[in-house]
Amino acid sequence: MSNSSRLRLNAMTPGDLEGSTIGPVAHHVDGERIGAFIEATGDRPERWTDNAPPGYAAALLFSVAGVLLNDERIRPHLATLIHVDQQFTFHGPIEKGATIEMTGTVERVRERGGAFFVTFVATGTSNGEVVLDSRSTFLMSDQAATESANDRSEPSADERGPNGVAADRHPLEIGRVFATPKSASRADLIRYAAVTRDFNPLHWDHDTARAAGLDGVVAHGLLMLSWLAQQASAFTAAPAPLAVIKVRFRSALGPAAAARVEAIVRDIAPDGQDARVSLRVIASETDAVTGSAVLSHRGVTPRPTPPSNDSKKTST
């Protein structure tokens, strides 16, 4: 049999992977990894001493998703690769010192005009208990994007725009907008890639990004999800502050570009234990990421209610 015949027999599309499983892959959540993640994402280290931030779920996801996205059997169909949307569901905190077994499955593949929409689900367990569920949609195609007409010069390695930290605690007020400026340097993108193992060259190689139709290198979508998770987590002191976070990636954000990360409480459960928050990352007045989160106050010891003035008068 000729080499060309073997290649034809071995050729696969993403659709051929439907139902396939990756893992389990063991991921140890050690303090060094948590610290590196906090540094790369600009989070509060004092908040995450016993647990990892919710955004750390990206590192768990890529322990199995990275295998799928680097599968040589579908390499021709990765000429265009877009992370369309992402949902993480948390069943408890991501504890420091835990070993989490991640298993991923290609749940469904839909083809539209030669493009493949791949639904990839992943579950993380620790000591037999489910800690994390993940659902991702990836767009894959063997058609490369048209090269962008704009060739943006890359900023220096450490250049950032305004870069703030979400408040230690937001009051749980319906309708109030809480916003924090965020920006990532090219060095931040490398640090983030190292801690999550998401080494897609779109995030560090200018020529690859240009060939993919972008003006230059872009920030990881899951880095922006981490910024949103930080903003949402500030509403609660719970060790697992988010029950669910779900986002859609809408436009690219370049390194050193200025972004605004917003959260708005939409409603609060009658028992006060859960609340729904809408989320946005905005750059140049355009939505880069939109989404929502369900907050959890479970596991938080209520603060004692101070006595009213009337009660003080009575006691005297």
Side-chain angles (χ1 to χ4, degrees):
M1 183 183 294
S2 68
N3 287 336
S4 60
S5 296
R6 289 192 184 96
L7 287 173
R8 284 195 298 272
L9 285 174
N10 292 332
M12 296 182 68
T13 72
D16 295 317
L17 296 179
E18 185 171 278
S20 62
T21 297
I22 299 168
V25 175
H27 180 107
H28 184 63
V29 186
D30 59 48
E32 184 177 352
R33 276 176 162 166
I34 293 174
F37 186 87
I38 288 169
E39 180 183 6
T41 58
D43 209 336
R44 288 182 172 273
E46 69 274 13
R47 169 78 191 265
W48 308 107
T49 55
D50 299 320
N51 306 302
Y56 190 89
L60 298 173
L61 167 62
F62 263 80
S63 65
V64 285
V67 177
L68 170 68
L69 302 180
N70 288 284
D71 193 322
E72 289 294 333
R73 296 173 297 173
I74 57 169
R75 174 61 58 186
H77 295 276
L78 300 177
T80 293
L81 175 61
I82 299 171
H83 197 165
V84 179
D85 55 41
Q86 178 64 47
Q87 176 173 316
F88 291 121
T89 301
F90 302 90
H91 301 279
I94 302 172
E95 296 180 342
K96 182 170 71 174
T99 296
I100 299 179
E101 300 277 344
M102 292 297 299
T103 303
T105 301
V106 180
E107 183 182 76
R108 185 183 180 196
V109 180
R110 293 167 294 148
E111 182 181 1
R112 294 180 185 172
F116 294 86
F117 290 84
V118 178
T119 301
F120 184 74
V121 298
T123 298
T125 61
S126 179
N127 296 321
E129 298 291 331
V130 176
V131 175
L132 175 73
D133 283 315
S134 170
R135 178 173 293 271
S136 316
T137 304
F138 298 105
L139 170 63
M140 303 175 181
S141 175
D142 60 358
Q143 300 299 310
T146 303
E147 186 172 290
S148 172
N150 300 317
D151 190 354
R152 183 193 69 220
S153 59
E154 301 293 356
S156 61
D158 293 313
E159 183 180 345
R160 285 196 197 107
N163 193 45
V165 179
D168 179 55
R169 191 73 66 243
H170 295 321
L172 201 62
E173 298 177 11
I174 292 176
R176 181 175 169 184
V177 178
F178 295 89
T180 302
K182 279 291 188 181
S183 181
S185 67
R186 287 168 51 219
D188 289 331
L189 302 186
I190 296 299
R191 281 189 280 267
Y192 183 83
V195 75
T196 61
R197 313 301 294 174
D198 182 356
F199 286 113
N200 188 326
L202 295 178
H203 307 304
W204 53 267
D205 182 69
H206 181 80
D207 291 339
T208 299
R210 293 271 297 120
L214 301 166
D215 297 346
V217 168
V218 297
H220 302 73
L222 291 177
L223 171 58
M224 292 188 281
L225 180 148
S226 292
W227 294 345
L228 291 170
Q230 291 169 26
Q231 194 75 286
S233 296
F235 288 102
T236 172
L242 306 184
V244 180
I245 185 168
K246 182 177 183 178
V247 302
R248 181 172 290 273
F249 305 111
R250 298 189 177 277
S251 63
L253 179 73
R260 186 169 75 254
V261 180
E262 290 187 353
I264 307 172
V265 176
R266 294 302 183 187
D267 33 55
I268 304 171
D271 64 1
Q273 293 296 293
D274 300 302
R276 185 175 63 85
V277 177
S278 64
L279 302 167
R280 299 169 72 196
V281 175
I282 306 162
S284 300
E285 301 309 314
T286 299
D287 288 340
V289 187
T290 58
S292 62
V294 177
L295 311 178
S296 175
H297 283 269
R298 302 173 195 284
V300 178
T301 302
R303 295 178 180 176
T305 303
S308 66
N309 290 335
D310 290 342
S311 64
K312 287 180 182 177
K313 289 176 183 177
T314 302
S315 65
T316 59

